[in-house]
Structure formats: structure tokens, C-alpha cells
Amino acid sequence: MSDHGHDHGSGHAQRHEHGSGSHGAHSHGVSAGTDRRWLAIALTLITAFMAVEVVVGVLAGSLALISDAAHMLTDAASIVLSLIAMRLAARPARGGFTYGLKRAEILSAQANGLTLLLLGAWLAYESVRRLIDPPAVEGGLMLVTALVGIAVNVAATWCISQANRSSLNVEGAYQHILNDLFAFVGTAVAALVIVLTGFSRADPIATLMVVALMAKAASGLLRESGRIFLEAAPADVDPDALGDRLVALPAVVEVHDLHVWQITSGQAALSAHVLVESAGDCHAVRRDLEELLRDDYGITHTTLQVDHASEQVFQVALPGDRKLLDDPGHCEDAHGPVHRDAPHAH
């Protein structure tokens, strides 16, 4: 151990020397300038048409049109919220916000999911009420407006699809607009049925179909944003399998305190305490670990504490045996499974 200048008795100094903060050449978040432009164009289209639709919906007596207008209002709000979140996320880290305000985008995504869910609940209530007591609906006016709405929403959906949808924030705005497009398609079909048959209940039936789509989109946004807030591992990463891969590298004896989480959408982070053979090169092991994480998992924001293991760690122990914890380089309370290059409990 003297070859590396380690002294396990000087815990803080030794750990500081072997700790690593690897950030690599990677981009955090989205390409905000381009995305803001596309979102602004979509916002302009939606706001202009929404004002027209409110008037026409009242004149036609159509719940589907009024609900579409209300949905477009939440679309506009979601885009405004996304634009604000992008600006906040682009601010550099400072003060107590050591990650910056990148999770403002996740707050925006969660707000988008909640508004979709609440709006869907209101529309479901109104639809059931109109199924029981259907009012008169002007099908022709409803049909023309719905067809124009489809064209506007196709353009708005295309604009947002040009932005970086790997951002949960942008995806939230996209889901709002996409659901609005489906709503207009349903409204157009319902209007055609009313024009041809006079069956006015087609209006609330079409609305209920859209409500189901809104609930599906909302649940997805809330689930993904909730995972990030709870600091769960990325959906495509199995921490146990990842720990087993890390401990399988040459000279690695044990990996514990392994944490994998997302700072924001598309930006994962990892920290771990790694014990290597007493004659192993801690710095070389750290580089190998970082390379594996970067190349195979796309994780470039890593903090690895790499220490030499004492001879006691090499002794055979049953899963859960804590007798080895008198090793000064070992954590007394490992947070999570302990990975060793041997059969072990997960």
C-alpha cells in the first residue's frame, strides 16, 4: 500500500486521494436554444386557435369542442411551464443548489401529468352528465372546427417533435399536444356522426375516449417524474446486475454503497465504495470502472471511493456475516447489497 501513498489509519485523507468525480464530455439536459424556438412556435399556433375554438364551442353547444379548448389551454400552460423550466435548468449550479435547477424540468413534467389527470377527471364527469341528458349540438360547425383543429395540432405536434423528447419536460408538453390531436380526431368523428344521424351522444362518447388516452399519458409522466424525485435507478439499469459487473473486474474484491439515480431526465449519476486487492492499482481500477460505466451504461457522472481491502475481506464469510466490518476501509452500515466476486445475496 505504501507504493500508492495510502494509510488506512488516515481515513479521510486516504479516501480523498482515491475518490473520483468523473463528469466527462457530456451534455446535461436538452439543447435549450433550439427546443425553446420549436416550443414557442407551437405555443403561438395553439393560443391563436384556442381563442377561436372557445367562441365556436359555445355557439355550437359542443362539450367536445369546449373540452378541446380547455385542453388547449393546458397545452399552452404546459409549454409556458416547459419554457420557464428550460431557462431555470440552464442556470449554472451555485449556492445550495449544487446540481443547479435541472430538476425544474421534472417539476414541469409532473405538473403536466397532474393537469392531464385533473382535466381528464372533469371531462369524464361532464361526459357522463351529457350521456344522461344530451343537449342539442350543432354538428356542422363542430365538424369544421374540429378539422381545422386537427391541422393546427398536427403542426404543433410536429414542432414539438423536433425538440429533444429525451427530456421529460419536453415529453410532457408533447403528450399534452398529442392528446389534443387525438381529441380533435375524436371530435371530428363525433361531429360527422351527429351530422349524418343526429345522434348527439356521440359528442360525450368521443370525449370519454380521449379521457382514457389522457389518463394513460398522465400516469406515464407521473410515474417517470416520481422515479426521479424518489432517486430510483434509471428504468434501464438493474443496480444488482451493475454491481455484479463492477465486482467482476480484475483486482476488485468488493463493491458496496452502490447508488444509481437520475439528476434529471437523460442524466444519470452513480456513487460507490470499491475495495481492491492489497496489491492492486486503485487508480487503474477506477479508470476501468469509469470506462465500463461510460461505454456500457452511458453513466459519466460518477463518484467512486476506491480503497485497498485488508486481508480480512478475503476470508470466507456467509451472506450477511458482518464480522469483516472491523476492516477500516469497510463501511459499518453498507447502504444496500454488498457485491463480492463470489456467490452473495442480493
Side-chain angles (χ1 to χ4, degrees):
M1 287 186 285
S2 59
D3 293 340
H4 298 280
H6 301 164
D7 180 1
H8 284 295
S10 58
H12 177 74
Q14 180 269 330
R15 288 174 185 172
H16 176 75
E17 179 178 350
H18 285 303
S20 76
S22 172
H23 301 277
H26 61 287
S27 174
H28 294 324
V30 298
S31 52
T34 301
D35 291 352
R36 280 198 295 267
R37 183 171 66 250
W38 286 116
L39 288 172
I41 294 172
L43 177 62
T44 302
L45 289 170
I46 287 169
T47 303
F49 183 74
M50 179 182 65
V52 175
E53 189 180 20
V54 170
V55 175
V56 176
V58 171
L59 293 175
S62 168
L63 174 63
L65 283 182
I66 295 173
S67 66
D68 287 342
H71 194 183
M72 292 193 86
L73 178 61
T74 66
D75 293 344
S78 73
I79 294 175
V80 170
L81 195 61
S82 297
L83 290 169
I84 294 172
M86 281 181 179
R87 289 196 177 276
L88 291 175
R91 292 183 179 180
R94 62 182 61 172
F97 296 93
T98 56
Y99 280 128
L101 295 173
K102 297 185 183 302
R103 282 196 176 171
E105 294 189 328
I106 309 306
L107 280 171
S108 171
Q110 195 159 68
N112 284 333
L114 284 171
T115 55
L116 275 172
L117 204 59
L118 293 173
L119 182 61
W122 176 72
L123 291 176
Y125 169 78
E126 286 294 321
S127 297
V128 171
R129 191 173 66 83
R130 290 203 172 203
L131 278 172
I132 296 171
D133 184 19
V137 178
E138 179 55 53
L141 191 56
M142 179 181 168
L143 179 59
V144 172
T145 307
L147 291 174
V148 175
I150 289 173
V152 170
N153 272 268
V154 165
T157 302
W158 182 83
C159 286
I160 295 186
S161 71
Q162 301 308 297
N164 182 5
R165 285 180 54 206
S166 67
S167 163
L168 200 58
N169 174 49
V170 175
E171 180 65 15
Y174 178 80
Q175 288 297 333
H176 263 276
I177 305 299
L178 186 63
N179 275 276
D180 210 24
L181 174 59
F182 292 148
F184 274 111
V185 171
T187 300
V189 172
L192 186 61
V193 170
I194 292 171
V195 169
L196 296 177
T197 67
F199 182 62
S200 59
R201 283 188 173 88
D203 181 48
I205 290 173
T207 304
L208 285 173
M209 294 174 65
V210 174
V211 165
L213 295 173
M214 292 170 67
K216 181 176 182 297
S219 63
L221 286 171
L222 292 173
R223 182 176 61 253
E224 291 305 312
S225 60
R227 284 181 61 87
I228 292 176
F229 280 128
L230 292 174
E231 298 197 335
D236 58 344
V237 174
D238 180 349
D240 282 333
L242 174 58
D244 289 345
R245 288 202 62 189
L246 297 179
V247 82
L249 289 179
V252 177
V253 175
E254 178 179 305
V255 175
H256 59 268
D257 279 357
L258 173 62
H259 303 285
V260 191
W261 71 99
Q262 286 182 281
I263 299 169
T264 186
S265 52
Q267 185 182 341
L270 177 144
S271 66
H273 189 184
V274 181
L275 301 182
V276 303
E277 296 173 353
S278 56
D281 185 340
C282 290
H283 299 291
V285 168
R286 175 177 56 78
R287 288 192 294 269
D288 290 343
L289 292 168
E290 289 172 351
E291 182 179 356
L292 183 149
L293 291 168
R294 181 185 64 248
D295 295 345
D296 293 3
Y297 294 91
I299 301 175
T300 55
H301 193 119
T302 61
T303 303
L304 300 172
Q305 177 184 330
V306 184
D307 294 323
H308 280 146
S310 72
E311 292 300 324
Q312 290 170 300
V313 176
F314 296 98
Q315 296 174 2
V316 177
L318 296 174
D321 189 347
R322 312 307 295 168
K323 292 181 180 179
L324 303 181
L325 295 181
D326 56 349
D327 171 25
H330 205 296
C331 297
E332 291 187 359
D333 184 17
H335 303 148
V338 175
H339 299 269
R340 296 194 180 103
D341 194 14
H344 55 276
H346 279 175

